[in-house]
Amino acid sequence: MLPVSDPPPFSKPKSAEILDRKHSVLTSSKPYLSFHHNRRAWFFLSVLLLQLLLLLSAPSSRSLLLRHRSSPHSSAALPNITYSSRAAGEQASAEGILNNPKIEEKCPYGKVYVYELPPLFNTEIVKNCDNLNPWSSRCDALSNSGFGKAATGISRIVPEKVSGSWFWTDQFSLEVIYHNRMLNYRCRTLEPESAAAFYIPCYTGLAVERFLFTSNSTTEERDRHCNLMLNWVSDQPFFKKSYGWDHFITVGRISWDFRRSKDGDWGSSCIYLPKMRNITRLLIEKNPWDYFDVGVPYPSGFHPSSVADVTLWQDFVRSRERHTLFCFAGATRGFIKNDFRGILISQCYSEPGSCRVVDCGGSKCANGSSSILETFLHSDFCLQPRGDSFTRRSIFDCMVAGSIPVFFWHRTAYLQYQWFLPGEPESYSVFIDRHEVQNGTSIKSVLDRISKEKVKSMREKVIEYIPKMICKF
């Protein structure tokens, strides 16, 4: 692995170089890593450990902790942007936790420094929630630290002890949820000199949303927040030191929304901007061929407050009596010729004793509904075609309910979420090639051939991985 000082600023590594770096990260273990000469490997291990332990680790809060103290590294690039401050007592408490010697022992892969960006990049976006979407307000969706409104009417189908852990969480709220969790993460450091990785809490996905769906938006508007953020962060000394190789950002939309290659195309050009090149991006859908994209689960509606709540939920879904072989929650895409979802729904309706359908036409299933959860809880398998892109949030709603996903595209999950799903696809899911279904293969006949012992084993694997798919309070 090359030392961090070797690559020129904002350079795009050659393919062989990328593969070598990735191989070293995935196959090396801690004792063989040198922080000073393998900073990239340390960074990836830090983020990986963060993702696996974030769920059930640090003390947490239900309030949206998005008020920060003044940044030690101000930027002349944004002279008109002011910083907000945190109350002295709150700051002292945070510093006491983060500087606790016992915490040092629990961060063997290093600590994460959270940049305190100007409010333009996060808190002001949330405050303007009424104007983020051209059709409706996003304020409910971004409430409760990004979890959304408490799920009503759900207590009749889930254990009472965890009913308060369910919310109508929006699939695009990852940036707010992750930021709040990072502020309370036990391996967060307030001293950038001691950090192994640097988190950039910019709500790029929320900022661009309004302009994605406004016909007269300009490329400048779609790129504005990303450009300003990159100008700010690239002016920071620790970014300059590593050229961004140890920096990462969460993006609550799919990678393709930020890959505009020419002015007339869809989306922002954020990912293609030179200063973004070396920054690792955690997205709900990645480009499988971009080393710097990391696919992370869509936010689901289940946000437990303790390990006990997670265990209770796992026991609940494990003991469920499931009376339906398979199900589908979604809507047809009438504007698409030979719509695959239409084929799935037709097969479901032709097997009323074996399949259950939740028709999500219009916005009836936006951010989840009790009928969707109930359907997943009653079904052995859940059909997961691609969504508007290759992935869909329903994958994780299905699996959190203990239902076994059935995929029709490899890119829907297998090439997306390697850090969060089992490495052996057949251990937790079923794959049926979409072309076989289009040519008349019966989904029911395929699923009927799977033994009860195999179904039980697959469900157990799904349940085992639930902790890796949820966001804890």
Side-chain angles (χ1 to χ4, degrees), residues 214-428:
T214 303
S215 59
N216 60 350
S217 67
T218 65
T219 55
E220 290 77 13
E221 288 174 323
R222 282 175 270 157
D223 295 344
R224 177 174 178 264
H225 276 82
C226 188
N227 266 316
L228 290 174
M229 176 272 293
L230 290 173
N231 287 340
W232 187 93
V233 76
S234 64
D235 195 41
Q236 307 308 307
F238 291 93
F239 187 95
K240 292 179 179 179
K241 185 176 181 180
S242 68
Y243 305 118
W245 275 87
D246 51 6
H247 285 54
F248 70 102
I249 187 173
T250 52
V251 183
R253 299 191 67 87
I254 66 173
S255 184
W256 314 105
D257 287 341
F258 302 93
R259 293 181 176 274
R260 190 190 72 244
S261 58
K262 56 185 179 181
D263 286 353
D265 288 348
W266 166 268
S268 164
S269 64
C270 184
I271 287 178
Y272 290 143
L273 296 177
K275 295 175 183 178
M276 178 63 82
R277 181 59 261 170
N278 293 336
I279 298 174
T280 295
R281 305 169 290 269
L282 310 183
L283 307 110
I284 54 177
E285 178 177 322
K286 69 176 183 178
N287 174 356
W289 297 278
D290 189 332
Y291 169 63
F292 293 87
D293 277 10
V294 177
V296 300
Y298 283 78
S300 73
F302 182 47
H303 306 288
S305 57
S306 68
V307 175
D309 286 349
V310 177
T311 302
L312 189 155
W313 180 257
Q314 289 175 299
D315 290 342
F316 171 68
V317 298
R318 181 182 291 112
S319 62
R320 288 284 298 180
E321 290 187 12
R322 298 175 187 262
H323 302 292
T324 304
L325 179 62
F326 64 109
C327 67
F328 175 67
T332 59
R333 298 291 191 264
F335 55 89
I336 298 177
K337 186 178 180 181
N338 300 320
D339 174 37
F340 187 73
R341 291 186 176 202
I343 297 174
L344 298 185
I345 290 177
S346 294
Q347 285 211 21
C348 263
Y349 281 135
S350 68
E351 301 286 353
S354 300
C355 186
R356 186 168 173 173
V357 176
V358 179
D359 184 357
C360 292
S363 60
K364 289 181 290 187
C365 297
N367 302 335
S369 74
S370 56
S371 60
I372 293 178
L373 177 60
E374 187 173 22
T375 297
F376 289 152
L377 287 170
H378 275 81
S379 304
D380 282 326
F381 300 92
C382 55
L383 306 185
Q384 296 297 334
R386 57 174 290 171
D388 293 326
S389 58
F390 278 100
T391 63
R392 63 195 303 242
R393 177 250 183 87
S394 179
I395 297 167
F396 301 101
D397 291 338
C398 150
M399 295 181 70
V400 167
S403 190
I404 301 164
V406 180
F407 298 119
F408 307 91
W409 279 263
H410 288 286
R411 286 176 64 181
T412 301
Y414 304 148
L415 302 181
Q416 283 290 334
Y417 308 109
Q418 291 94 328
W419 283 4
F420 303 92
L421 297 178
E424 303 77 30
E426 66 280 359
S427 70
Y428 76 97

Side-chain angles (χ1 to χ4, degrees), residues 10-41:
F10 320 125
S11 63
K12 181 176 180 178
K14 297 178 181 179
S15 297
E17 200 174 307
I18 288 176
L19 292 175
D20 288 344
R21 289 177 185 268
K22 191 163 189 175
H23 178 76
S24 69
V25 170
L26 297 178
T27 60
S28 300
S29 57
K30 174 183 173 281
Y32 299 98
L33 294 175
S34 164
F35 173 76
H36 295 290
H37 294 94
N38 294 292
R39 192 181 184 105
R40 181 68 173 175

Side-chain angles (χ1 to χ4, degrees), residues 12-285:
K12 181 176 180 178
K14 297 178 181 179
S15 297
E17 200 174 307
I18 288 176
L19 292 175
D20 288 344
R21 289 177 185 268
K22 191 163 189 175
H23 178 76
S24 69
V25 170
L26 297 178
T27 60
S28 300
S29 57
K30 174 183 173 281
Y32 299 98
L33 294 175
S34 164
F35 173 76
H36 295 290
H37 294 94
N38 294 292
R39 192 181 184 105
R40 181 68 173 175
W42 265 91
F43 163 62
F44 263 102
L45 282 174
S46 298
V47 176
L48 174 59
L49 195 69
L50 163 70
Q51 288 292 333
L52 299 182
L53 298 182
L54 188 60
L55 310 173
L56 301 172
S57 56
S60 55
S61 169
R62 297 192 181 203
S63 62
L64 183 59
L65 300 178
L66 296 180
R67 291 171 292 140
H68 314 304
R69 60 188 176 90
S70 299
S71 168
H73 308 299
S74 59
S75 171
L78 298 168
N80 296 322
I81 298 176
T82 58
Y83 296 85
S84 56
S85 61
R86 179 181 292 174
E90 191 177 82
Q91 180 62 30
S93 175
E95 290 183 351
I97 294 173
L98 296 172
N99 294 326
N100 189 329
K102 293 183 179 180
I103 298 298
E104 298 277 349
E105 302 172 4
K106 297 181 180 180
C107 304
Y109 296 103
K111 295 184 177 182
V112 179
Y113 180 75
V114 180
Y115 277 114
E116 293 156 4
L117 298 181
L120 167 71
F121 300 116
N122 40 55
T123 55
E124 285 187 6
I125 293 173
V126 174
K127 288 178 181 177
N128 292 323
C129 54
D130 277 325
N131 301 312
L132 297 180
N133 186 292
W135 301 295
S136 60
S137 170
R138 303 282 273 124
C139 294
D140 283 352
L142 299 179
S143 63
N144 287 321
S145 304
F147 291 162
K149 305 293 284 185
T152 55
I154 210 165
S155 57
R156 64 181 179 82
I157 57 175
V158 303
E160 184 179 356
K161 289 184 178 180
V162 295
S163 62
S165 297
W166 281 90
F167 296 79
W168 300 137
T169 301
D170 187 86
Q171 64 177 339
F172 298 124
S173 62
L174 176 70
E175 293 155 338
V176 179
I177 294 174
Y178 195 97
H179 186 191
N180 189 56
R181 294 298 295 126
M182 283 300 300
L183 292 177
N184 294 282
Y185 181 42
R186 73 176 181 215
C187 291
R188 176 192 172 199
T189 178
L190 300 177
E191 301 171 352
E193 297 82 4
S194 66
F198 295 80
Y199 170 51
I200 309 168
C202 180
Y203 300 169
T204 312
L206 291 175
V208 79
E209 182 174 316
R210 174 161 58 102
F211 303 111
L212 290 177
F213 302 103
T214 303
S215 59
N216 60 350
S217 67
T218 65
T219 55
E220 290 77 13
E221 288 174 323
R222 282 175 270 157
D223 295 344
R224 177 174 178 264
H225 276 82
C226 188
N227 266 316
L228 290 174
M229 176 272 293
L230 290 173
N231 287 340
W232 187 93
V233 76
S234 64
D235 195 41
Q236 307 308 307
F238 291 93
F239 187 95
K240 292 179 179 179
K241 185 176 181 180
S242 68
Y243 305 118
W245 275 87
D246 51 6
H247 285 54
F248 70 102
I249 187 173
T250 52
V251 183
R253 299 191 67 87
I254 66 173
S255 184
W256 314 105
D257 287 341
F258 302 93
R259 293 181 176 274
R260 190 190 72 244
S261 58
K262 56 185 179 181
D263 286 353
D265 288 348
W266 166 268
S268 164
S269 64
C270 184
I271 287 178
Y272 290 143
L273 296 177
K275 295 175 183 178
M276 178 63 82
R277 181 59 261 170
N278 293 336
I279 298 174
T280 295
R281 305 169 290 269
L282 310 183
L283 307 110
I284 54 177
E285 178 177 322

